[in-house]
Amino acid sequence: MELTLDDYLLVSGLLFAIGFAGVLLRRNIIIIFMCLEMMLNAANLSLVAFSRFNVQAGLPNYNGQMLVFFIITVAAAEVAVGLAVIVALYRARGTTHVEDISSLKF
Amino acid sequence: MITAILFWFFAALMLGFACAVVFNRNPVASALSLVVSFIGLAALFVMLDAYFLGTIQVLVYAGAVMVLFLFIIMLLDLKAEVRRKLHIGIVAGGLAVAAAFVFQLCAVLEELPFGGRGFPAIRQPLNDVRNVGYVLFSDYNLPFQVVGVLLLVATIGVVILSKRELK
């Protein structure tokens, strides 16, 4: 049994779906943030799979891996800023539950 | 054969602990499940011959980012969530959207013309870090420096956000 591109894309899509369901179902803002990270990683997995699939001159196509590298870097910066915002929010409101933070709700 | 077994083992590990992130009530348990999930993903990167990315996945994601998450969870002293009344509509809607996404994904993969093909063999010595570094510092030199500036801006932003008084 040989592994195909479909296998990797299916696993990546399932990881994305789990993260997506987590964002929709959970009400704790930190868990929602973790599920967002999971969705970014699902995209990374399909990018690496396509990069390995598209062999050029006997080597994987490194452009896809470069995109993954930049996604990881930007995600690290995003986590730092996002968690600082959550800490500021917790100081102001004393909660991380999204249903208790509804001042922007119409 | 052995690669297929390893692939499905790590994929199941990753997806199982990803489910644990969503269904755990305790935020610390969720964060630790996410660490295991990321390590499974790093193993999949290594199986795709992306050794450098597998390494920084462990170092940056499973290491730095998740330590930051755990640090904030413990700083805010979040207890396990008390059981609130679940809105059945929200839960059903969320699961339905995720299921629709999986259904759509299966339909697309069914139609993908090259999806059933295996991965072509690599016919050159794979000096992964050397190749990644070469592409990064030649074709992607400008984005690399822009990302450096982005990290600096993020650092300054975090320092300002974390100050007691926002003026």
Side-chain angles (χ1 to χ4, degrees), chain A residues 4-6 8 20 26 33 37 41 52 57-58 62-63 66 73 75 90 100, chain B residues 22 24 38 48-49 57 61 81 97 115-116 120 122-124 128 140 147:
Chain A
T4 60
L5 182 62
D6 268 354
Y8 280 94
F20 192 40
R26 295 302 302 262
F33 206 43
E37 293 304 308
N41 277 288
R52 176 65 183 77
Y62 278 101
N63 292 313
M66 281 302 106
T73 320
Y90 188 81
D100 298 339
Chain B
V22 177
N24 257 321
F38 282 165
L48 285 167
D49 297 310
Q57 175 79 15
Y61 257 119
E81 268 176 71
V97 172
I122 290 177
R123 289 188 311 278
Q124 283 192 29
D128 189 61
Y140 291 88
V147 154

PDB file of all heavy atoms in Angstrom, chain A residues 4-6 8 20 26 33 37 41 52 57-58 62-63 66 73 75 90 100, chain B residues 22 24 38 48-49 57 61 81 97 115-116 120 122-124 128 140 147:
ATOM      1  N   THR A   4      -0.628   8.106  -0.862  1.00  0.00           N
ATOM      2  CA  THR A   4      -0.896   9.024  -1.964  1.00  0.00           C
ATOM      3  C   THR A   4      -1.104  10.427  -1.421  1.00  0.00           C
ATOM      4  O   THR A   4      -1.204  10.641  -0.214  1.00  0.00           O
ATOM      5  CB  THR A   4      -2.157   8.589  -2.720  1.00  0.00           C
ATOM      6  OG1 THR A   4      -3.239   8.615  -1.803  1.00  0.00           O
ATOM      7  CG2 THR A   4      -2.015   7.192  -3.283  1.00  0.00           C
ATOM      8  N   LEU A   5      -1.155  11.366  -2.356  1.00  0.00           N
ATOM      9  CA  LEU A   5      -1.384  12.768  -1.972  1.00  0.00           C
ATOM     10  C   LEU A   5      -2.735  12.909  -1.269  1.00  0.00           C
ATOM     11  O   LEU A   5      -2.870  13.679  -0.315  1.00  0.00           O
ATOM     12  CB  LEU A   5      -1.339  13.637  -3.226  1.00  0.00           C
ATOM     13  CG  LEU A   5      -1.501  15.140  -3.036  1.00  0.00           C
ATOM     14  CD1 LEU A   5      -0.375  15.677  -2.201  1.00  0.00           C
ATOM     15  CD2 LEU A   5      -1.528  15.840  -4.367  1.00  0.00           C
ATOM     16  N   ASP A   6      -3.718  12.111  -1.733  1.00  0.00           N
ATOM     17  CA  ASP A   6      -5.052  12.175  -1.124  1.00  0.00           C
ATOM     18  C   ASP A   6      -5.022  11.914   0.373  1.00  0.00           C
ATOM     19  O   ASP A   6      -5.752  12.555   1.136  1.00  0.00           O
ATOM     20  CB  ASP A   6      -5.965  11.135  -1.778  1.00  0.00           C
ATOM     21  CG  ASP A   6      -6.719  11.709  -2.951  1.00  0.00           C
ATOM     22  OD1 ASP A   6      -6.613  12.932  -3.161  1.00  0.00           O
ATOM     23  OD2 ASP A   6      -7.407  10.949  -3.645  1.00  0.00           O
ATOM     24  N   TYR A   8      -2.672  12.512   2.607  1.00  0.00           N
ATOM     25  CA  TYR A   8      -2.207  13.682   3.348  1.00  0.00           C
ATOM     26  C   TYR A   8      -3.250  14.791   3.322  1.00  0.00           C
ATOM     27  O   TYR A   8      -3.500  15.452   4.331  1.00  0.00           O
ATOM     28  CB  TYR A   8      -0.879  14.171   2.778  1.00  0.00           C
ATOM     29  CG  TYR A   8       0.295  13.370   3.254  1.00  0.00           C
ATOM     30  CD1 TYR A   8       0.783  12.308   2.522  1.00  0.00           C
ATOM     31  CD2 TYR A   8       0.911  13.681   4.462  1.00  0.00           C
ATOM     32  CE1 TYR A   8       1.855  11.565   2.969  1.00  0.00           C
ATOM     33  CE2 TYR A   8       1.975  12.942   4.915  1.00  0.00           C
ATOM     34  CZ  TYR A   8       2.450  11.880   4.165  1.00  0.00           C
ATOM     35  OH  TYR A   8       3.496  11.154   4.622  1.00  0.00           O
ATOM     36  N   PHE A  20     -11.924  23.963  13.172  1.00  0.00           N
ATOM     37  CA  PHE A  20     -13.080  24.800  12.819  1.00  0.00           C
ATOM     38  C   PHE A  20     -14.243  24.538  13.777  1.00  0.00           C
ATOM     39  O   PHE A  20     -14.857  25.473  14.304  1.00  0.00           O
ATOM     40  CB  PHE A  20     -13.459  24.469  11.380  1.00  0.00           C
ATOM     41  CG  PHE A  20     -14.419  25.411  10.745  1.00  0.00           C
ATOM     42  CD1 PHE A  20     -14.314  26.765  10.960  1.00  0.00           C
ATOM     43  CD2 PHE A  20     -15.425  24.934   9.924  1.00  0.00           C
ATOM     44  CE1 PHE A  20     -15.196  27.634  10.366  1.00  0.00           C
ATOM     45  CE2 PHE A  20     -16.306  25.801   9.320  1.00  0.00           C
ATOM     46  CZ  PHE A  20     -16.196  27.147   9.548  1.00  0.00           C
ATOM     47  N   ARG A  26     -16.540  26.004  21.152  1.00  0.00           N
ATOM     48  CA  ARG A  26     -16.035  26.371  22.460  1.00  0.00           C
ATOM     49  C   ARG A  26     -16.282  27.844  22.748  1.00  0.00           C
ATOM     50  O   ARG A  26     -16.312  28.664  21.831  1.00  0.00           O
ATOM     51  CB  ARG A  26     -14.535  26.066  22.563  1.00  0.00           C
ATOM     52  CG  ARG A  26     -14.212  24.608  22.484  1.00  0.00           C
ATOM     53  CD  ARG A  26     -14.906  23.814  23.558  1.00  0.00           C
ATOM     54  NE  ARG A  26     -14.571  24.269  24.883  1.00  0.00           N
ATOM     55  CZ  ARG A  26     -13.655  23.710  25.667  1.00  0.00           C
ATOM     56  NH1 ARG A  26     -12.987  22.685  25.238  1.00  0.00           N
ATOM     57  NH2 ARG A  26     -13.419  24.185  26.868  1.00  0.00           N
ATOM     58  N   PHE A  33      -8.468  30.307  20.470  1.00  0.00           N
ATOM     59  CA  PHE A  33      -7.183  30.710  19.908  1.00  0.00           C
ATOM     60  C   PHE A  33      -6.342  29.480  19.558  1.00  0.00           C
ATOM     61  O   PHE A  33      -5.710  29.426  18.493  1.00  0.00           O
ATOM     62  CB  PHE A  33      -6.482  31.588  20.932  1.00  0.00           C
ATOM     63  CG  PHE A  33      -5.518  32.545  20.335  1.00  0.00           C
ATOM     64  CD1 PHE A  33      -5.831  33.244  19.198  1.00  0.00           C
ATOM     65  CD2 PHE A  33      -4.295  32.758  20.926  1.00  0.00           C
ATOM     66  CE1 PHE A  33      -4.939  34.124  18.646  1.00  0.00           C
ATOM     67  CE2 PHE A  33      -3.397  33.636  20.380  1.00  0.00           C
ATOM     68  CZ  PHE A  33      -3.710  34.317  19.248  1.00  0.00           C
ATOM     69  N   GLU A  37      -4.794  28.074  15.851  1.00  0.00           N
ATOM     70  CA  GLU A  37      -3.452  27.576  15.553  1.00  0.00           C
ATOM     71  C   GLU A  37      -3.520  26.232  14.846  1.00  0.00           C
ATOM     72  O   GLU A  37      -2.752  25.945  13.926  1.00  0.00           O
ATOM     73  CB  GLU A  37      -2.659  27.428  16.854  1.00  0.00           C
ATOM     74  CG  GLU A  37      -2.357  28.736  17.540  1.00  0.00           C
ATOM     75  CD  GLU A  37      -1.635  29.678  16.624  1.00  0.00           C
ATOM     76  OE1 GLU A  37      -0.620  29.269  16.059  1.00  0.00           O
ATOM     77  OE2 GLU A  37      -2.098  30.810  16.457  1.00  0.00           O
ATOM     78  N   ASN A  41      -2.018  25.049  11.180  1.00  0.00           N
ATOM     79  CA  ASN A  41      -1.155  23.890  10.994  1.00  0.00           C
ATOM     80  C   ASN A  41      -1.718  22.926   9.976  1.00  0.00           C
ATOM     81  O   ASN A  41      -0.952  22.262   9.265  1.00  0.00           O
ATOM     82  CB  ASN A  41      -0.942  23.187  12.328  1.00  0.00           C
ATOM     83  CG  ASN A  41       0.155  23.843  13.103  1.00  0.00           C
ATOM     84  OD1 ASN A  41       1.299  23.715  12.758  1.00  0.00           O
ATOM     85  ND2 ASN A  41      -0.194  24.585  14.120  1.00  0.00           N
ATOM     86  N   ARG A  52       6.192  18.317  -1.493  1.00  0.00           N
ATOM     87  CA  ARG A  52       6.871  17.032  -1.693  1.00  0.00           C
ATOM     88  C   ARG A  52       6.373  16.321  -2.953  1.00  0.00           C
ATOM     89  O   ARG A  52       7.109  15.610  -3.626  1.00  0.00           O
ATOM     90  CB  ARG A  52       6.633  16.161  -0.456  1.00  0.00           C
ATOM     91  CG  ARG A  52       7.173  14.754  -0.517  1.00  0.00           C
ATOM     92  CD  ARG A  52       8.682  14.754  -0.584  1.00  0.00           C
ATOM     93  NE  ARG A  52       9.202  13.394  -0.727  1.00  0.00           N
ATOM     94  CZ  ARG A  52       9.194  12.704  -1.857  1.00  0.00           C
ATOM     95  NH1 ARG A  52       8.691  13.247  -2.951  1.00  0.00           N
ATOM     96  NH2 ARG A  52       9.674  11.485  -1.913  1.00  0.00           N
ATOM     97  N   ALA A  57      13.411  18.417 -10.819  1.00  0.00           N
ATOM     98  CA  ALA A  57      14.829  18.062 -10.944  1.00  0.00           C
ATOM     99  C   ALA A  57      15.275  17.190  -9.776  1.00  0.00           C
ATOM    100  O   ALA A  57      16.352  17.373  -9.220  1.00  0.00           O
ATOM    101  CB  ALA A  57      15.693  19.331 -11.031  1.00  0.00           C
ATOM    102  N   GLY A  58      14.419  16.252  -9.379  1.00  0.00           N
ATOM    103  CA  GLY A  58      14.799  15.305  -8.341  1.00  0.00           C
ATOM    104  C   GLY A  58      14.764  15.830  -6.931  1.00  0.00           C
ATOM    105  O   GLY A  58      15.164  15.150  -6.001  1.00  0.00           O
ATOM    106  N   TYR A  62      10.755  23.744  -3.169  1.00  0.00           N
ATOM    107  CA  TYR A  62      10.941  24.402  -1.878  1.00  0.00           C
ATOM    108  C   TYR A  62      10.095  25.659  -1.700  1.00  0.00           C
ATOM    109  O   TYR A  62      10.057  26.213  -0.601  1.00  0.00           O
ATOM    110  CB  TYR A  62      12.425  24.719  -1.661  1.00  0.00           C
ATOM    111  CG  TYR A  62      13.163  23.506  -1.161  1.00  0.00           C
ATOM    112  CD1 TYR A  62      13.928  22.732  -1.995  1.00  0.00           C
ATOM    113  CD2 TYR A  62      13.033  23.121   0.162  1.00  0.00           C
ATOM    114  CE1 TYR A  62      14.567  21.601  -1.550  1.00  0.00           C
ATOM    115  CE2 TYR A  62      13.665  21.998   0.626  1.00  0.00           C
ATOM    116  CZ  TYR A  62      14.424  21.241  -0.231  1.00  0.00           C
ATOM    117  OH  TYR A  62      15.030  20.117   0.227  1.00  0.00           O
ATOM    118  N   ASN A  63       9.402  26.111  -2.758  1.00  0.00           N
ATOM    119  CA  ASN A  63       8.583  27.315  -2.582  1.00  0.00           C
ATOM    120  C   ASN A  63       7.470  27.083  -1.567  1.00  0.00           C
ATOM    121  O   ASN A  63       7.176  27.948  -0.757  1.00  0.00           O
ATOM    122  CB  ASN A  63       7.995  27.733  -3.927  1.00  0.00           C
ATOM    123  CG  ASN A  63       9.060  28.216  -4.869  1.00  0.00           C
ATOM    124  OD1 ASN A  63       9.898  29.016  -4.487  1.00  0.00           O
ATOM    125  ND2 ASN A  63       9.060  27.712  -6.085  1.00  0.00           N
ATOM    126  N   MET A  66       8.842  27.240   1.887  1.00  0.00           N
ATOM    127  CA  MET A  66       9.115  28.621   2.297  1.00  0.00           C
ATOM    128  C   MET A  66       7.851  29.269   2.853  1.00  0.00           C
ATOM    129  O   MET A  66       7.889  29.966   3.869  1.00  0.00           O
ATOM    130  CB  MET A  66       9.592  29.432   1.086  1.00  0.00           C
ATOM    131  CG  MET A  66      11.019  29.222   0.714  1.00  0.00           C
ATOM    132  SD  MET A  66      12.098  29.611   2.066  1.00  0.00           S
ATOM    133  CE  MET A  66      12.563  28.008   2.546  1.00  0.00           C
ATOM    134  N   THR A  73       6.422  31.638  11.278  1.00  0.00           N
ATOM    135  CA  THR A  73       6.962  32.857  11.881  1.00  0.00           C
ATOM    136  C   THR A  73       5.855  33.842  12.221  1.00  0.00           C
ATOM    137  O   THR A  73       5.801  34.381  13.336  1.00  0.00           O
ATOM    138  CB  THR A  73       7.947  33.529  10.901  1.00  0.00           C
ATOM    139  OG1 THR A  73       8.710  32.526  10.263  1.00  0.00           O
ATOM    140  CG2 THR A  73       8.848  34.473  11.627  1.00  0.00           C
ATOM    141  N   ALA A  75       2.722  33.200  12.615  1.00  0.00           N
ATOM    142  CA  ALA A  75       1.847  32.660  13.651  1.00  0.00           C
ATOM    143  C   ALA A  75       2.445  32.866  15.038  1.00  0.00           C
ATOM    144  O   ALA A  75       1.721  33.148  15.994  1.00  0.00           O
ATOM    145  CB  ALA A  75       1.604  31.173  13.397  1.00  0.00           C
ATOM    146  N   TYR A  90      -8.657  40.292  30.016  1.00  0.00           N
ATOM    147  CA  TYR A  90      -8.944  39.669  31.311  1.00  0.00           C
ATOM    148  C   TYR A  90      -8.791  40.683  32.435  1.00  0.00           C
ATOM    149  O   TYR A  90      -9.568  40.687  33.391  1.00  0.00           O
ATOM    150  CB  TYR A  90      -7.998  38.488  31.523  1.00  0.00           C
ATOM    151  CG  TYR A  90      -8.329  37.660  32.737  1.00  0.00           C
ATOM    152  CD1 TYR A  90      -9.329  36.701  32.686  1.00  0.00           C
ATOM    153  CD2 TYR A  90      -7.641  37.842  33.924  1.00  0.00           C
ATOM    154  CE1 TYR A  90      -9.640  35.943  33.783  1.00  0.00           C
ATOM    155  CE2 TYR A  90      -7.947  37.088  35.035  1.00  0.00           C
ATOM    156  CZ  TYR A  90      -8.950  36.131  34.963  1.00  0.00           C
ATOM    157  OH  TYR A  90      -9.262  35.387  36.061  1.00  0.00           O
ATOM    158  N   ASP A 100     -19.596  36.487  27.887  1.00  0.00           N
ATOM    159  CA  ASP A 100     -19.631  37.580  28.863  1.00  0.00           C
ATOM    160  C   ASP A 100     -19.050  38.872  28.293  1.00  0.00           C
ATOM    161  O   ASP A 100     -19.121  39.916  28.940  1.00  0.00           O
ATOM    162  CB  ASP A 100     -18.833  37.191  30.114  1.00  0.00           C
ATOM    163  CG  ASP A 100     -19.435  35.976  30.794  1.00  0.00           C
ATOM    164  OD1 ASP A 100     -20.627  35.722  30.550  1.00  0.00           O
ATOM    165  OD2 ASP A 100     -18.719  35.296  31.545  1.00  0.00           O
TER     166      ASP A 100
ATOM    167  N   VAL B  22     -10.443  20.015  21.740  1.00  0.00           N
ATOM    168  CA  VAL B  22     -11.776  20.615  21.640  1.00  0.00           C
ATOM    169  C   VAL B  22     -12.665  20.151  22.797  1.00  0.00           C
ATOM    170  O   VAL B  22     -13.440  20.936  23.348  1.00  0.00           O
ATOM    171  CB  VAL B  22     -12.404  20.275  20.279  1.00  0.00           C
ATOM    172  CG1 VAL B  22     -13.812  20.824  20.192  1.00  0.00           C
ATOM    173  CG2 VAL B  22     -11.570  20.837  19.167  1.00  0.00           C
ATOM    174  N   ASN B  24     -11.813  18.726  25.893  1.00  0.00           N
ATOM    175  CA  ASN B  24     -11.401  18.848  27.288  1.00  0.00           C
ATOM    176  C   ASN B  24     -11.990  20.106  27.908  1.00  0.00           C
ATOM    177  O   ASN B  24     -12.002  21.159  27.277  1.00  0.00           O
ATOM    178  CB  ASN B  24      -9.873  18.928  27.386  1.00  0.00           C
ATOM    179  CG  ASN B  24      -9.279  17.612  27.826  1.00  0.00           C
ATOM    180  OD1 ASN B  24      -9.844  16.944  28.687  1.00  0.00           O
ATOM    181  ND2 ASN B  24      -8.176  17.252  27.233  1.00  0.00           N
ATOM    182  N   PHE B  38       0.810  18.682  17.865  1.00  0.00           N
ATOM    183  CA  PHE B  38       1.828  19.345  17.046  1.00  0.00           C
ATOM    184  C   PHE B  38       3.028  18.435  16.827  1.00  0.00           C
ATOM    185  O   PHE B  38       3.649  18.472  15.758  1.00  0.00           O
ATOM    186  CB  PHE B  38       2.277  20.640  17.705  1.00  0.00           C
ATOM    187  CG  PHE B  38       1.294  21.765  17.514  1.00  0.00           C
ATOM    188  CD1 PHE B  38       1.360  22.910  18.284  1.00  0.00           C
ATOM    189  CD2 PHE B  38       0.313  21.683  16.555  1.00  0.00           C
ATOM    190  CE1 PHE B  38       0.462  23.944  18.109  1.00  0.00           C
ATOM    191  CE2 PHE B  38      -0.588  22.710  16.368  1.00  0.00           C
ATOM    192  CZ  PHE B  38      -0.508  23.844  17.143  1.00  0.00           C
ATOM    193  N   LEU B  48       7.417  13.552   5.101  1.00  0.00           N
ATOM    194  CA  LEU B  48       7.381  14.193   3.781  1.00  0.00           C
ATOM    195  C   LEU B  48       8.742  14.756   3.408  1.00  0.00           C
ATOM    196  O   LEU B  48       8.834  15.614   2.531  1.00  0.00           O
ATOM    197  CB  LEU B  48       6.342  15.313   3.784  1.00  0.00           C
ATOM    198  CG  LEU B  48       4.887  14.869   3.732  1.00  0.00           C
ATOM    199  CD1 LEU B  48       3.963  16.009   4.062  1.00  0.00           C
ATOM    200  CD2 LEU B  48       4.557  14.322   2.371  1.00  0.00           C
ATOM    201  N   ASP B  49       9.807  14.323   4.083  1.00  0.00           N
ATOM    202  CA  ASP B  49      11.182  14.764   3.822  1.00  0.00           C
ATOM    203  C   ASP B  49      11.393  16.246   4.073  1.00  0.00           C
ATOM    204  O   ASP B  49      12.301  16.843   3.512  1.00  0.00           O
ATOM    205  CB  ASP B  49      11.606  14.436   2.373  1.00  0.00           C
ATOM    206  CG  ASP B  49      11.602  12.953   2.135  1.00  0.00           C
ATOM    207  OD1 ASP B  49      12.200  12.236   2.951  1.00  0.00           O
ATOM    208  OD2 ASP B  49      10.969  12.500   1.165  1.00  0.00           O
ATOM    209  N   GLN B  57       8.928  23.016  13.664  1.00  0.00           N
ATOM    210  CA  GLN B  57       7.575  22.773  14.193  1.00  0.00           C
ATOM    211  C   GLN B  57       7.661  22.381  15.668  1.00  0.00           C
ATOM    212  O   GLN B  57       6.912  22.879  16.500  1.00  0.00           O
ATOM    213  CB  GLN B  57       6.897  21.662  13.395  1.00  0.00           C
ATOM    214  CG  GLN B  57       5.553  21.218  13.904  1.00  0.00           C
ATOM    215  CD  GLN B  57       4.448  22.151  13.516  1.00  0.00           C
ATOM    216  OE1 GLN B  57       4.618  22.975  12.650  1.00  0.00           O
ATOM    217  NE2 GLN B  57       3.310  22.032  14.161  1.00  0.00           N
ATOM    218  N   TYR B  61       6.565  25.681  17.573  1.00  0.00           N
ATOM    219  CA  TYR B  61       5.164  25.466  17.961  1.00  0.00           C
ATOM    220  C   TYR B  61       5.045  24.698  19.264  1.00  0.00           C
ATOM    221  O   TYR B  61       4.541  25.195  20.269  1.00  0.00           O
ATOM    222  CB  TYR B  61       4.417  24.726  16.855  1.00  0.00           C
ATOM    223  CG  TYR B  61       3.548  25.655  16.051  1.00  0.00           C
ATOM    224  CD1 TYR B  61       3.745  25.842  14.711  1.00  0.00           C
ATOM    225  CD2 TYR B  61       2.528  26.337  16.681  1.00  0.00           C
ATOM    226  CE1 TYR B  61       2.960  26.700  13.986  1.00  0.00           C
ATOM    227  CE2 TYR B  61       1.742  27.187  15.959  1.00  0.00           C
ATOM    228  CZ  TYR B  61       1.957  27.372  14.621  1.00  0.00           C
ATOM    229  OH  TYR B  61       1.178  28.217  13.923  1.00  0.00           O
ATOM    230  N   GLU B  81     -13.724  24.829  33.148  1.00  0.00           N
ATOM    231  CA  GLU B  81     -14.958  25.569  32.928  1.00  0.00           C
ATOM    232  C   GLU B  81     -16.122  24.940  33.685  1.00  0.00           C
ATOM    233  O   GLU B  81     -16.276  23.721  33.652  1.00  0.00           O
ATOM    234  CB  GLU B  81     -15.304  25.540  31.442  1.00  0.00           C
ATOM    235  CG  GLU B  81     -14.768  26.693  30.666  1.00  0.00           C
ATOM    236  CD  GLU B  81     -15.083  26.509  29.211  1.00  0.00           C
ATOM    237  OE1 GLU B  81     -16.256  26.637  28.850  1.00  0.00           O
ATOM    238  OE2 GLU B  81     -14.160  26.214  28.453  1.00  0.00           O
ATOM    239  N   VAL B  97     -21.752  22.441  10.326  1.00  0.00           N
ATOM    240  CA  VAL B  97     -20.846  23.158   9.415  1.00  0.00           C
ATOM    241  C   VAL B  97     -19.559  22.372   9.217  1.00  0.00           C
ATOM    242  O   VAL B  97     -19.068  22.204   8.092  1.00  0.00           O
ATOM    243  CB  VAL B  97     -20.565  24.576   9.960  1.00  0.00           C
ATOM    244  CG1 VAL B  97     -19.477  25.245   9.147  1.00  0.00           C
ATOM    245  CG2 VAL B  97     -21.817  25.414   9.918  1.00  0.00           C
ATOM    246  N   GLY B 115      -4.735  13.077  -7.417  1.00  0.00           N
ATOM    247  CA  GLY B 115      -4.738  12.784  -5.981  1.00  0.00           C
ATOM    248  C   GLY B 115      -4.353  11.351  -5.657  1.00  0.00           C
ATOM    249  O   GLY B 115      -3.763  11.075  -4.627  1.00  0.00           O
ATOM    250  N   GLY B 116      -4.694  10.394  -6.554  1.00  0.00           N
ATOM    251  CA  GLY B 116      -4.433   9.002  -6.247  1.00  0.00           C
ATOM    252  C   GLY B 116      -2.999   8.567  -6.502  1.00  0.00           C
ATOM    253  O   GLY B 116      -2.642   7.434  -6.224  1.00  0.00           O
ATOM    254  N   PRO B 120       6.535  11.125  -6.041  1.00  0.00           N
ATOM    255  CA  PRO B 120       7.683  10.760  -6.868  1.00  0.00           C
ATOM    256  C   PRO B 120       8.936  10.624  -6.005  1.00  0.00           C
ATOM    257  O   PRO B 120       9.061  11.276  -4.976  1.00  0.00           O
ATOM    258  CB  PRO B 120       7.813  11.936  -7.841  1.00  0.00           C
ATOM    259  CG  PRO B 120       6.586  12.743  -7.680  1.00  0.00           C
ATOM    260  CD  PRO B 120       6.024  12.462  -6.352  1.00  0.00           C
ATOM    261  N   ILE B 122      12.780  10.998  -4.757  1.00  0.00           N
ATOM    262  CA  ILE B 122      13.779  12.070  -4.774  1.00  0.00           C
ATOM    263  C   ILE B 122      15.066  11.475  -5.307  1.00  0.00           C
ATOM    264  O   ILE B 122      15.560  10.489  -4.781  1.00  0.00           O
ATOM    265  CB  ILE B 122      13.963  12.650  -3.361  1.00  0.00           C
ATOM    266  CG1 ILE B 122      12.723  13.433  -2.979  1.00  0.00           C
ATOM    267  CG2 ILE B 122      15.180  13.547  -3.309  1.00  0.00           C
ATOM    268  CD1 ILE B 122      12.758  13.976  -1.599  1.00  0.00           C
ATOM    269  N   ARG B 123      15.605  12.063  -6.395  1.00  0.00           N
ATOM    270  CA  ARG B 123      16.733  11.435  -7.061  1.00  0.00           C
ATOM    271  C   ARG B 123      18.042  12.171  -6.809  1.00  0.00           C
ATOM    272  O   ARG B 123      19.012  11.945  -7.490  1.00  0.00           O
ATOM    273  CB  ARG B 123      16.463  11.363  -8.555  1.00  0.00           C
ATOM    274  CG  ARG B 123      15.378  10.354  -8.917  1.00  0.00           C
ATOM    275  CD  ARG B 123      15.301  10.195 -10.409  1.00  0.00           C
ATOM    276  NE  ARG B 123      15.232  11.482 -11.087  1.00  0.00           N
ATOM    277  CZ  ARG B 123      14.110  12.176 -11.224  1.00  0.00           C
ATOM    278  NH1 ARG B 123      12.994  11.725 -10.739  1.00  0.00           N
ATOM    279  NH2 ARG B 123      14.116  13.328 -11.851  1.00  0.00           N
ATOM    280  N   GLN B 124      18.043  13.089  -5.853  1.00  0.00           N
ATOM    281  CA  GLN B 124      19.285  13.785  -5.548  1.00  0.00           C
ATOM    282  C   GLN B 124      19.520  13.693  -4.051  1.00  0.00           C
ATOM    283  O   GLN B 124      18.576  13.515  -3.295  1.00  0.00           O
ATOM    284  CB  GLN B 124      19.185  15.259  -5.953  1.00  0.00           C
ATOM    285  CG  GLN B 124      19.326  15.466  -7.422  1.00  0.00           C
ATOM    286  CD  GLN B 124      19.518  16.928  -7.747  1.00  0.00           C
ATOM    287  OE1 GLN B 124      20.044  17.672  -6.948  1.00  0.00           O
ATOM    288  NE2 GLN B 124      19.069  17.317  -8.920  1.00  0.00           N
ATOM    289  N   ASP B 128      18.542  18.948   3.192  1.00  0.00           N
ATOM    290  CA  ASP B 128      17.322  19.734   3.349  1.00  0.00           C
ATOM    291  C   ASP B 128      17.601  21.143   3.859  1.00  0.00           C
ATOM    292  O   ASP B 128      17.150  22.119   3.276  1.00  0.00           O
ATOM    293  CB  ASP B 128      16.395  18.995   4.303  1.00  0.00           C
ATOM    294  CG  ASP B 128      15.029  19.624   4.342  1.00  0.00           C
ATOM    295  OD1 ASP B 128      14.384  19.661   3.284  1.00  0.00           O
ATOM    296  OD2 ASP B 128      14.627  20.093   5.413  1.00  0.00           O
ATOM    297  N   TYR B 140      13.850  34.453  -1.471  1.00  0.00           N
ATOM    298  CA  TYR B 140      12.937  34.990  -0.465  1.00  0.00           C
ATOM    299  C   TYR B 140      13.666  35.900   0.512  1.00  0.00           C
ATOM    300  O   TYR B 140      13.309  35.968   1.678  1.00  0.00           O
ATOM    301  CB  TYR B 140      12.242  33.847   0.283  1.00  0.00           C
ATOM    302  CG  TYR B 140      11.264  33.101  -0.588  1.00  0.00           C
ATOM    303  CD1 TYR B 140      11.661  32.035  -1.365  1.00  0.00           C
ATOM    304  CD2 TYR B 140       9.940  33.511  -0.658  1.00  0.00           C
ATOM    305  CE1 TYR B 140      10.775  31.373  -2.178  1.00  0.00           C
ATOM    306  CE2 TYR B 140       9.037  32.853  -1.465  1.00  0.00           C
ATOM    307  CZ  TYR B 140       9.463  31.789  -2.228  1.00  0.00           C
ATOM    308  OH  TYR B 140       8.571  31.147  -3.040  1.00  0.00           O
ATOM    309  N   VAL B 147       9.719  39.914   7.434  1.00  0.00           N
ATOM    310  CA  VAL B 147       9.256  39.135   8.584  1.00  0.00           C
ATOM    311  C   VAL B 147      10.029  39.521   9.841  1.00  0.00           C
ATOM    312  O   VAL B 147       9.464  39.581  10.940  1.00  0.00           O
ATOM    313  CB  VAL B 147       9.366  37.627   8.266  1.00  0.00           C
ATOM    314  CG1 VAL B 147       9.524  36.808   9.518  1.00  0.00           C
ATOM    315  CG2 VAL B 147       8.133  37.165   7.528  1.00  0.00           C
TER     316      VAL B 147
END
